[in-house]
Amino acid sequence: MNGTIPYSPGRAARFYVPLLLQAFSQSLTYPLVGSITSHGPDGVDALTAFSLGQVIQFMIGAIGGGLIMTGMVYARTREGLASFRRLNTLMMVVLLAAQALVCLHPIDTYIFGHLLNLSPHLAEIARRTTFFGILMQAGFFLRNVPLVLLFNAYASFEANLATAARIALTFGFALVFPHLGWVGPDWGLFALTVPVLLEWLMSEAFAVKYERRLEHGVAADVMTQFKFTMPLSVGSCLLSVSPFMTAAFVGRTADATDMLAIHYVTLGIANPVSFAALRMQAVAIQFPPEWKGDRRLLRFAVVAGLLLGVIPLAFATPLLGNWYYGGCQSIPPRILGTTRLVSFIYTFICVIHAVRGRVEGLAALQKRPGAVMAGQIGYFVMLVLTLAVTLPLGLPGWAMAVTAIYLAPIAATAATYASLYVLKRRSRD
């Protein structure tokens, strides 16, 4: 099915580095746009509301979070791709309707006002961000099909090229818009959406030749692919709820506004490198173990995670940290030192996510999506449990968030490994 190219560190790196850059640059667009949002009249408070609106959007979109891995496993023939395309379209239509629904009254009041504990003004910013983010969400779903074609053809460089165009356009918007006075959440969302649509169109153009090369063959139908996707998607949804849950707890600590600001601006650096580390999933699918006990990719994952950790470490330094957090993101001087400390603490989070990505890729390769879901349930349970235990202890909100964000992926990795072990034992019995 795959793995026709044998593993070597060089081959794995050539496949992974474009994916790493793609994931990092995709996530980097959000802190870039933060400079547009936070320079509006509501300052960093608008960035917090904008980020929470994005959290709701990504939580809904994450129900389709298993589609890429599904396509990498099943969309390897013309018939398999046709089934995958139908599944992707159906899920897109349903989830875009759900995103519109949560913005309608009185659902919006409950979610943005009561649950997230936002003031009426900030709740409206979050609601508008979620509603007008529907177009960007559509771009993400439409991009799934060409991305699967590119990944399955080992054409990660071309996938990265489309993302490079996206990040370049976003960066251009981030530079120009503040000088034109185009600031605030609405312009921030515009600066995110247009580049996503450009990335989708470029990915489609690059993928055409690879689609033509697909051969006919036996393929799983839409329902079979849906059954494979849903355990992955349920787990992805739980993961996307995690920032939502973290904000709900941190928002109830002392100095909640400051604590949420620290949490979101540091995640603006930690999330890109974490998502880049998680792209080890695709590497594990394309370079499966060649013998029992083959752990070469595990070592590769650890080294990749350590190298990625240099990025949050760099932002913890006074030179880069003060410029980015204090200048670009408008963090007040009173919490700037704490913000840089949190960035330093996130240095080793990438190692955990890279190891986790490797085992999740192996589970998908073995067509055991339940093992991935078990890990992601473990992630969510550990996150909520940690926040629930630390809240009454009176820890600062940023410390609660960091502790939970570290322990959750450790729990996810352990649960996925344990689930794979149990499933293998059962299959032998």
Side-chain angles (χ1 to χ4, degrees):
M1 180 183 66
N2 49 30
T4 56
I5 299 178
Y7 172 85
S8 74
R11 293 189 187 102
R14 284 192 294 273
F15 181 74
Y16 176 59
V17 168
L19 297 179
L20 178 156
L21 293 173
Q22 183 192 53
F24 180 77
S25 59
Q26 283 183 193
S27 301
L28 188 61
T29 58
Y30 300 104
L32 279 176
V33 166
S35 66
I36 298 173
T37 305
S38 62
H39 280 81
D42 295 301
V44 74
D45 291 342
L47 177 59
T48 298
F50 180 81
S51 299
L52 289 172
Q54 295 276 289
V55 165
I56 300 297
Q57 173 183 322
F58 295 144
M59 182 179 68
I60 294 169
I63 299 175
L67 284 167
I68 292 289
M69 274 204 281
T70 299
M72 291 187 70
V73 172
Y74 286 106
R76 294 179 175 269
T77 63
R78 288 182 179 273
E79 291 77 10
L81 178 65
S83 294
F84 175 70
R85 183 177 273 121
R86 287 195 294 271
L87 173 63
N88 187 68
T89 301
L90 287 170
M91 293 190 71
M92 177 181 70
V93 171
V94 171
L95 293 175
L96 292 182
Q99 187 168 332
L101 182 64
V102 301
C103 297
L104 298 179
H105 191 74
I107 300 173
D108 63 328
T109 302
Y110 175 77
I111 292 175
F112 300 107
H114 297 304
L115 198 56
L116 290 177
N117 202 31
L118 293 172
S119 67
H121 177 60
L122 295 182
E124 175 59 18
I125 291 175
R127 188 197 70 83
R128 285 173 57 84
T129 300
T130 302
F131 182 76
F132 291 106
I134 288 175
L135 184 58
M136 181 170 63
Q137 187 87 283
F140 285 134
F141 274 97
L142 292 169
R143 191 190 58 175
N144 283 341
V145 174
L147 274 187
V148 163
L149 284 163
L150 293 172
F151 289 165
N152 282 348
Y154 293 86
S156 52
F157 173 78
E158 291 170 275
N160 186 54
L161 195 58
T163 302
R166 173 187 172 188
I167 190 70
L169 183 57
T170 308
F171 184 71
F173 286 158
L175 288 178
V176 173
F177 281 16
H179 291 290
L180 298 176
W182 297 353
V183 292
D186 292 340
W187 282 111
L189 186 61
F190 178 91
L192 280 176
T193 302
V194 173
V196 168
L197 299 178
L198 172 65
E199 182 187 26
W200 159 54
L201 292 173
M202 290 183 65
S203 299
E204 287 279 8
F206 289 140
V208 168
K209 61 183 178 183
Y210 298 111
E211 182 172 359
R212 290 172 179 165
R213 295 175 189 174
L214 289 178
E215 298 178 354
H216 292 282
V218 177
D221 59 17
V222 172
M223 184 54 65
T224 300
Q225 294 192 28
F226 177 73
K227 290 177 180 177
F228 182 87
T229 299
M230 285 316 295
L232 301 174
S233 294
V234 169
S236 295
C237 187
L238 288 174
L239 292 182
S240 70
V241 174
S242 299
F244 182 89
M245 293 300 301
T246 304
F249 278 93
V250 173
R252 285 163 173 77
T253 61
D255 302 316
T257 301
D258 284 350
M259 296 300 102
L260 285 170
I262 293 170
H263 173 57
Y264 279 114
V265 297
T266 53
L267 277 187
I269 299 300
N271 274 347
V273 291
S274 296
F275 289 140
L278 273 174
R279 286 299 177 96
M280 202 61 65
Q281 295 167 334
V283 183
I285 292 173
Q286 296 299 85
F287 296 94
E290 296 173 26
W291 61 81
K292 186 176 180 180
D294 182 3
R295 292 184 174 83
R296 292 175 297 169
L297 189 61
L298 178 59
R299 294 192 290 271
F300 180 89
V302 171
V303 172
L306 288 172
L307 292 174
L308 284 167
V310 172
I311 296 172
L313 178 62
F315 279 89
T317 63
L319 179 64
L320 192 56
N322 291 347
W323 168 77
Y324 175 73
Y325 293 124
C328 296
Q329 299 297 335
S330 304
I331 288 295
R334 67 178 180 277
I335 56 174
L336 186 55
T338 303
T339 304
R340 286 175 33 223
L341 172 63
V342 173
S343 186
F344 172 77
I345 295 172
Y346 281 133
T347 298
F348 296 101
I349 195 72
C350 304
V351 176
I352 301 169
H353 283 296
V355 173
R356 172 183 153 215
R358 181 247 182 191
V359 70
E360 289 181 354
L362 292 177
L365 186 66
Q366 297 170 28
K367 296 185 179 179
R368 298 185 187 276
V372 179
M373 185 175 73
Q376 293 173 340
I377 290 173
Y379 181 107
F380 181 76
V381 170
M382 178 59 76
L383 183 108
V384 174
L385 183 62
T386 303
L387 291 169
V389 169
T390 54
L391 179 61
L393 296 179
L395 287 180
W398 67 262
M400 289 172 50
V402 167
T403 303
I405 287 168
Y406 255 95
L407 292 180
I410 293 174
T413 305
T416 306
Y417 271 114
S419 181
L420 278 177
Y421 176 78
V422 170
L423 290 171
K424 287 179 181 178
R425 288 289 301 269
R426 287 179 180 174
S427 64
R428 286 198 297 265
D429 298 340

